[in-house]
mmCIF file of all heavy atoms in Angstrom:
data_model
loop_
_atom_site.group_PDB
_atom_site.id
_atom_site.type_symbol
_atom_site.label_atom_id
_atom_site.label_comp_id
_atom_site.label_asym_id
_atom_site.label_seq_id
_atom_site.Cartn_x
_atom_site.Cartn_y
_atom_site.Cartn_z
ATOM 1 N N ARG A 186 -9.819 -6.598 7.427
ATOM 2 C CA ARG A 186 -10.641 -7.791 7.270
ATOM 3 C C ARG A 186 -11.149 -7.924 5.833
ATOM 4 O O ARG A 186 -11.537 -6.934 5.215
ATOM 5 C CB ARG A 186 -11.838 -7.756 8.230
ATOM 6 C CG ARG A 186 -11.487 -8.051 9.673
ATOM 7 C CD ARG A 186 -12.715 -7.987 10.567
ATOM 8 N NE ARG A 186 -12.380 -8.376 11.943
ATOM 9 C CZ ARG A 186 -13.216 -8.315 12.968
ATOM 10 N NH1 ARG A 186 -14.467 -7.864 12.767
ATOM 11 N NH2 ARG A 186 -12.842 -8.689 14.170
ATOM 12 N N PHE A 187 -11.158 -9.154 5.360
ATOM 13 C CA PHE A 187 -11.746 -9.507 4.068
ATOM 14 C C PHE A 187 -13.078 -10.182 4.386
ATOM 15 O O PHE A 187 -13.119 -11.222 5.047
ATOM 16 C CB PHE A 187 -10.807 -10.446 3.319
ATOM 17 C CG PHE A 187 -11.245 -10.800 1.925
ATOM 18 C CD1 PHE A 187 -11.977 -9.919 1.144
ATOM 19 C CD2 PHE A 187 -10.906 -12.030 1.369
ATOM 20 C CE1 PHE A 187 -12.361 -10.236 -0.144
ATOM 21 C CE2 PHE A 187 -11.276 -12.366 0.085
ATOM 22 C CZ PHE A 187 -12.009 -11.471 -0.675
ATOM 23 N N LEU A 188 -14.179 -9.569 3.922
ATOM 24 C CA LEU A 188 -15.523 -9.999 4.295
ATOM 25 C C LEU A 188 -16.280 -10.544 3.090
ATOM 26 O O LEU A 188 -16.316 -9.909 2.027
ATOM 27 C CB LEU A 188 -16.317 -8.823 4.880
ATOM 28 C CG LEU A 188 -15.696 -8.067 6.052
ATOM 29 C CD1 LEU A 188 -16.580 -6.874 6.404
ATOM 30 C CD2 LEU A 188 -15.507 -8.984 7.251
ATOM 31 N N ALA A 189 -16.889 -11.694 3.252
ATOM 32 C CA ALA A 189 -17.876 -12.181 2.286
ATOM 33 C C ALA A 189 -19.238 -11.620 2.681
ATOM 34 O O ALA A 189 -19.591 -11.580 3.859
ATOM 35 C CB ALA A 189 -17.908 -13.702 2.276
ATOM 36 N N ILE A 190 -19.998 -11.165 1.691
ATOM 37 C CA ILE A 190 -21.300 -10.547 1.930
ATOM 38 C C ILE A 190 -22.399 -11.466 1.405
ATOM 39 O O ILE A 190 -22.326 -11.947 0.258
ATOM 40 C CB ILE A 190 -21.396 -9.173 1.242
ATOM 41 C CG1 ILE A 190 -20.291 -8.242 1.751
ATOM 42 C CG2 ILE A 190 -22.765 -8.555 1.456
ATOM 43 C CD1 ILE A 190 -20.194 -6.943 0.965
ATOM 44 N N ASP A 191 -23.395 -11.718 2.229
ATOM 45 C CA ASP A 191 -24.567 -12.473 1.791
ATOM 46 C C ASP A 191 -25.478 -11.507 1.033
ATOM 47 O O ASP A 191 -26.015 -10.560 1.632
ATOM 48 C CB ASP A 191 -25.296 -13.050 2.998
ATOM 49 C CG ASP A 191 -26.440 -13.983 2.600
ATOM 50 O OD1 ASP A 191 -27.025 -13.787 1.509
ATOM 51 O OD2 ASP A 191 -26.762 -14.892 3.383
ATOM 52 N N PRO A 192 -25.679 -11.707 -0.275
ATOM 53 C CA PRO A 192 -26.474 -10.735 -1.039
ATOM 54 C C PRO A 192 -27.946 -10.731 -0.655
ATOM 55 O O PRO A 192 -28.664 -9.775 -0.974
ATOM 56 C CB PRO A 192 -26.293 -11.197 -2.492
ATOM 57 C CG PRO A 192 -25.938 -12.642 -2.396
ATOM 58 C CD PRO A 192 -25.163 -12.795 -1.124
ATOM 59 N N ALA A 193 -28.420 -11.752 0.058
ATOM 60 C CA ALA A 193 -29.837 -11.806 0.420
ATOM 61 C C ALA A 193 -30.171 -10.869 1.570
ATOM 62 O O ALA A 193 -31.204 -10.193 1.552
ATOM 63 C CB ALA A 193 -30.227 -13.244 0.782
ATOM 64 N N ASP A 194 -29.286 -10.800 2.577
ATOM 65 C CA ASP A 194 -29.613 -9.998 3.756
ATOM 66 C C ASP A 194 -28.500 -9.053 4.184
ATOM 67 O O ASP A 194 -28.655 -8.324 5.170
ATOM 68 C CB ASP A 194 -30.001 -10.908 4.926
ATOM 69 C CG ASP A 194 -28.914 -11.910 5.293
ATOM 70 O OD1 ASP A 194 -27.748 -11.715 4.872
ATOM 71 O OD2 ASP A 194 -29.219 -12.889 5.993
ATOM 72 N N GLY A 195 -27.365 -9.048 3.484
ATOM 73 C CA GLY A 195 -26.291 -8.115 3.791
ATOM 74 C C GLY A 195 -25.382 -8.533 4.928
ATOM 75 O O GLY A 195 -24.454 -7.797 5.285
ATOM 76 N N ARG A 196 -25.619 -9.696 5.516
ATOM 77 C CA ARG A 196 -24.742 -10.142 6.590
ATOM 78 C C ARG A 196 -23.358 -10.497 6.041
ATOM 79 O O ARG A 196 -23.226 -10.916 4.889
ATOM 80 C CB ARG A 196 -25.346 -11.350 7.305
ATOM 81 C CG ARG A 196 -26.573 -11.016 8.148
ATOM 82 C CD ARG A 196 -27.060 -12.227 8.899
ATOM 83 N NE ARG A 196 -27.481 -13.309 7.999
ATOM 84 C CZ ARG A 196 -27.883 -14.508 8.411
ATOM 85 N NH1 ARG A 196 -27.927 -14.781 9.709
ATOM 86 N NH2 ARG A 196 -28.258 -15.418 7.541
ATOM 87 N N THR A 197 -22.336 -10.348 6.893
ATOM 88 C CA THR A 197 -20.962 -10.584 6.444
ATOM 89 C C THR A 197 -20.311 -11.685 7.261
ATOM 90 O O THR A 197 -20.648 -11.918 8.427
ATOM 91 C CB THR A 197 -20.107 -9.307 6.556
ATOM 92 O OG1 THR A 197 -20.106 -8.846 7.910
ATOM 93 C CG2 THR A 197 -20.635 -8.220 5.642
ATOM 94 N N THR A 198 -19.353 -12.353 6.612
ATOM 95 C CA THR A 198 -18.545 -13.398 7.236
ATOM 96 C C THR A 198 -17.081 -13.051 7.023
ATOM 97 O O THR A 198 -16.674 -12.677 5.921
ATOM 98 C CB THR A 198 -18.838 -14.772 6.601
ATOM 99 O OG1 THR A 198 -20.233 -15.052 6.721
ATOM 100 C CG2 THR A 198 -18.026 -15.865 7.277
ATOM 101 N N ILE A 199 -16.292 -13.174 8.075
ATOM 102 C CA ILE A 199 -14.865 -12.858 7.975
ATOM 103 C C ILE A 199 -14.146 -14.010 7.283
ATOM 104 O O ILE A 199 -14.140 -15.148 7.772
ATOM 105 C CB ILE A 199 -14.247 -12.610 9.368
ATOM 106 C CG1 ILE A 199 -14.957 -11.452 10.066
ATOM 107 C CG2 ILE A 199 -12.752 -12.334 9.243
ATOM 108 C CD1 ILE A 199 -14.523 -11.266 11.519
ATOM 109 N N LEU A 200 -13.549 -13.721 6.134
ATOM 110 C CA LEU A 200 -12.755 -14.711 5.414
ATOM 111 C C LEU A 200 -11.292 -14.680 5.845
ATOM 112 O O LEU A 200 -10.614 -15.705 5.842
ATOM 113 C CB LEU A 200 -12.842 -14.466 3.898
ATOM 114 C CG LEU A 200 -14.226 -14.562 3.272
ATOM 115 C CD1 LEU A 200 -14.149 -14.236 1.786
ATOM 116 C CD2 LEU A 200 -14.816 -15.957 3.485
ATOM 117 N N GLU A 201 -10.813 -13.497 6.193
ATOM 118 C CA GLU A 201 -9.410 -13.351 6.610
ATOM 119 C C GLU A 201 -9.283 -12.077 7.425
ATOM 120 O O GLU A 201 -9.979 -11.090 7.158
ATOM 121 C CB GLU A 201 -8.470 -13.262 5.401
ATOM 122 C CG GLU A 201 -7.002 -13.145 5.787
ATOM 123 C CD GLU A 201 -6.115 -12.758 4.610
ATOM 124 O OE1 GLU A 201 -6.458 -11.795 3.903
ATOM 125 O OE2 GLU A 201 -5.080 -13.417 4.403
ATOM 126 N N GLU A 202 -8.395 -12.095 8.404
ATOM 127 C CA GLU A 202 -8.057 -10.885 9.146
ATOM 128 C C GLU A 202 -6.541 -10.794 9.246
ATOM 129 O O GLU A 202 -5.876 -11.779 9.585
ATOM 130 C CB GLU A 202 -8.677 -10.881 10.539
ATOM 131 C CG GLU A 202 -8.336 -9.619 11.316
ATOM 132 C CD GLU A 202 -9.157 -9.442 12.581
ATOM 133 O OE1 GLU A 202 -10.318 -9.905 12.603
ATOM 134 O OE2 GLU A 202 -8.637 -8.840 13.540
ATOM 135 N N GLN A 203 -5.995 -9.614 8.939
ATOM 136 C CA GLN A 203 -4.567 -9.361 9.053
ATOM 137 C C GLN A 203 -4.340 -8.270 10.086
ATOM 138 O O GLN A 203 -5.102 -7.297 10.159
ATOM 139 C CB GLN A 203 -3.987 -8.913 7.713
ATOM 140 C CG GLN A 203 -3.968 -9.997 6.652
ATOM 141 C CD GLN A 203 -3.287 -9.524 5.384
ATOM 142 O OE1 GLN A 203 -3.714 -8.566 4.764
ATOM 143 N NE2 GLN A 203 -2.215 -10.187 5.006
ATOM 144 N N ARG A 204 -3.256 -8.432 10.856
ATOM 145 C CA ARG A 204 -2.912 -7.433 11.872
ATOM 146 C C ARG A 204 -1.413 -7.163 11.849
ATOM 147 O O ARG A 204 -0.614 -8.037 11.520
ATOM 148 C CB ARG A 204 -3.344 -7.899 13.268
ATOM 149 C CG ARG A 204 -4.851 -7.907 13.457
ATOM 150 C CD ARG A 204 -5.260 -8.182 14.884
ATOM 151 N NE ARG A 204 -6.714 -8.055 15.042
ATOM 152 C CZ ARG A 204 -7.330 -6.924 15.334
ATOM 153 N NH1 ARG A 204 -6.622 -5.807 15.526
ATOM 154 N NH2 ARG A 204 -8.652 -6.873 15.451
ATOM 155 N N ASP A 205 -1.067 -5.932 12.215
ATOM 156 C CA ASP A 205 0.334 -5.549 12.355
ATOM 157 C C ASP A 205 0.410 -4.425 13.386
ATOM 158 O O ASP A 205 -0.485 -3.562 13.432
ATOM 159 C CB ASP A 205 0.920 -5.075 11.012
ATOM 160 C CG ASP A 205 2.418 -4.871 11.083
ATOM 161 O OD1 ASP A 205 2.861 -3.757 11.460
ATOM 162 O OD2 ASP A 205 3.152 -5.821 10.778
ATOM 163 N N ASP A 206 1.463 -4.419 14.187
ATOM 164 C CA ASP A 206 1.585 -3.417 15.248
ATOM 165 C C ASP A 206 1.776 -2.011 14.700
ATOM 166 O O ASP A 206 1.496 -1.028 15.395
ATOM 167 C CB ASP A 206 2.748 -3.760 16.180
ATOM 168 C CG ASP A 206 2.471 -5.009 17.005
ATOM 169 O OD1 ASP A 206 1.283 -5.352 17.158
ATOM 170 O OD2 ASP A 206 3.435 -5.635 17.478
ATOM 171 N N ARG A 207 2.294 -1.887 13.462
ATOM 172 C CA ARG A 207 2.504 -0.562 12.880
ATOM 173 C C ARG A 207 1.401 -0.247 11.875
ATOM 174 O O ARG A 207 0.589 0.620 12.098
ATOM 175 C CB ARG A 207 3.905 -0.493 12.259
ATOM 176 C CG ARG A 207 4.999 -0.464 13.332
ATOM 177 C CD ARG A 207 6.366 -0.773 12.778
ATOM 178 N NE ARG A 207 6.469 -2.179 12.354
ATOM 179 C CZ ARG A 207 7.586 -2.722 11.882
ATOM 180 N NH1 ARG A 207 8.686 -1.982 11.766
ATOM 181 N NH2 ARG A 207 7.623 -3.994 11.529
ATOM 182 N N TRP A 208 1.342 -0.956 10.761
ATOM 183 C CA TRP A 208 0.199 -0.852 9.871
ATOM 184 C C TRP A 208 0.178 -2.056 8.945
ATOM 185 O O TRP A 208 1.214 -2.641 8.646
ATOM 186 C CB TRP A 208 0.187 0.454 9.064
ATOM 187 C CG TRP A 208 1.216 0.538 7.955
ATOM 188 C CD1 TRP A 208 1.140 -0.003 6.701
ATOM 189 C CD2 TRP A 208 2.484 1.204 8.011
ATOM 190 N NE1 TRP A 208 2.259 0.286 5.974
ATOM 191 C CE2 TRP A 208 3.100 1.037 6.752
ATOM 192 C CE3 TRP A 208 3.152 1.941 8.993
ATOM 193 C CZ2 TRP A 208 4.362 1.568 6.453
ATOM 194 C CZ3 TRP A 208 4.401 2.466 8.695
ATOM 195 C CH2 TRP A 208 4.992 2.285 7.447
ATOM 196 N N VAL A 209 -1.014 -2.435 8.511
ATOM 197 C CA VAL A 209 -1.168 -3.497 7.525
ATOM 198 C C VAL A 209 -1.042 -2.883 6.150
ATOM 199 O O VAL A 209 -1.784 -1.955 5.799
ATOM 200 C CB VAL A 209 -2.520 -4.217 7.670
ATOM 201 C CG1 VAL A 209 -2.700 -5.236 6.542
ATOM 202 C CG2 VAL A 209 -2.619 -4.901 9.022
ATOM 203 N N ARG A 210 -0.111 -3.375 5.386
ATOM 204 C CA ARG A 210 0.088 -2.883 4.025
ATOM 205 C C ARG A 210 -1.084 -3.309 3.148
ATOM 206 O O ARG A 210 -1.504 -4.470 3.156
ATOM 207 C CB ARG A 210 1.390 -3.448 3.457
ATOM 208 C CG ARG A 210 1.616 -3.189 1.990
ATOM 209 C CD ARG A 210 1.919 -1.742 1.711
ATOM 210 N NE ARG A 210 2.319 -1.555 0.325
ATOM 211 C CZ ARG A 210 2.729 -0.400 -0.178
ATOM 212 N NH1 ARG A 210 2.807 0.650 0.608
ATOM 213 N NH2 ARG A 210 3.070 -0.295 -1.430
ATOM 214 N N LEU A 211 -1.625 -2.362 2.374
ATOM 215 C CA LEU A 211 -2.666 -2.653 1.398
ATOM 216 C C LEU A 211 -1.997 -2.897 0.053
ATOM 217 O O LEU A 211 -1.432 -1.980 -0.546
ATOM 218 C CB LEU A 211 -3.656 -1.494 1.317
ATOM 219 C CG LEU A 211 -4.392 -1.185 2.625
ATOM 220 C CD1 LEU A 211 -5.232 0.084 2.474
ATOM 221 C CD2 LEU A 211 -5.262 -2.357 3.068
#
């Protein structure tokens, strides 16, 4: 997951999620 972080309170929002049955390449 690629997360945006709110610097005021630390909450996160998912910008993107990638999935693969074997592994997600970094």
Side-chain angles (χ1 to χ4, degrees):
R186 285 179 176 174
F187 185 31
L188 306 175
I190 302 171
D191 187 331
D194 58 17
R196 289 184 298 176
T197 58
T198 303
I199 301 172
L200 299 178
E201 181 192 49
E202 180 168 330
Q203 291 184 300
R204 290 188 175 271
D205 189 273
D206 291 339
R207 289 164 291 183
W208 73 81
V209 175
R210 171 71 172 185
L211 299 174

